[in-house]
Amino acid sequence: MRGNARGTAQLKAEDEELYKQNGMIEILTRNASIKRHPEKFQHAPGPFDIVVTLEERIFDNVCEDLAQREPKWNSVVHVFGLEVKDTPAESLIAGK
């Protein structure tokens, strides 16, 4: 079972109606069709020229992670932080 499918099954078992109402099941189902599994920036080896984040908390995590990494490539990384709403309705609008 793919990572997002497993997450969807877990949410359905926990409280299917709640997670349908707040759109989480729909978001995970959509993500399962485009991602093999959940991804963590911390596990990506690099090198990176540009990193784009879509949430302030993730921007902070990426900056912290980059600051703690051993300098392998001695190159500049541009990190951009954009704030977006990840709801089913907003995703449909953004996808057009």
Side-chain angles (χ1 to χ4, degrees):
M1 187 181 293
R2 294 171 78 164
N4 287 325
R6 186 172 37 248
T8 302
Q10 184 178 351
L11 293 182
K12 286 180 177 180
E14 193 175 305
D15 190 340
E16 183 171 3
E17 194 55 39
L18 170 69
Y19 293 115
K20 276 186 179 179
Q21 287 177 356
N22 69 15
M24 283 305 300
I25 290 177
E26 187 175 347
I27 289 170
L28 284 173
T29 301
R30 179 198 69 208
N31 286 350
S33 69
I34 59 175
K35 295 180 181 180
R36 288 182 292 173
H37 52 78
E39 302 164 322
K40 286 191 171 191
F41 177 80
Q42 295 87 340
H43 297 152
F48 309 101
D49 295 319
I50 298 172
V51 177
V52 178
T53 66
L54 304 175
E55 187 177 323
E56 183 178 1
R57 178 181 61 85
I58 303 303
F59 175 86
D60 294 340
N61 291 347
V62 166
C63 290
E64 182 179 328
D65 182 73
L66 288 171
Q68 293 177 3
R69 288 185 183 212
E70 291 292 323
K72 288 183 183 176
W73 297 283
N74 199 25
S75 62
V76 174
V77 178
H78 299 280
V79 182
F80 296 92
L82 307 172
E83 193 69 26
V84 299
K85 292 181 182 177
D86 192 10
T87 65
E90 294 291 332
S91 296
L92 288 174
I93 293 168
K96 291 183 179 181

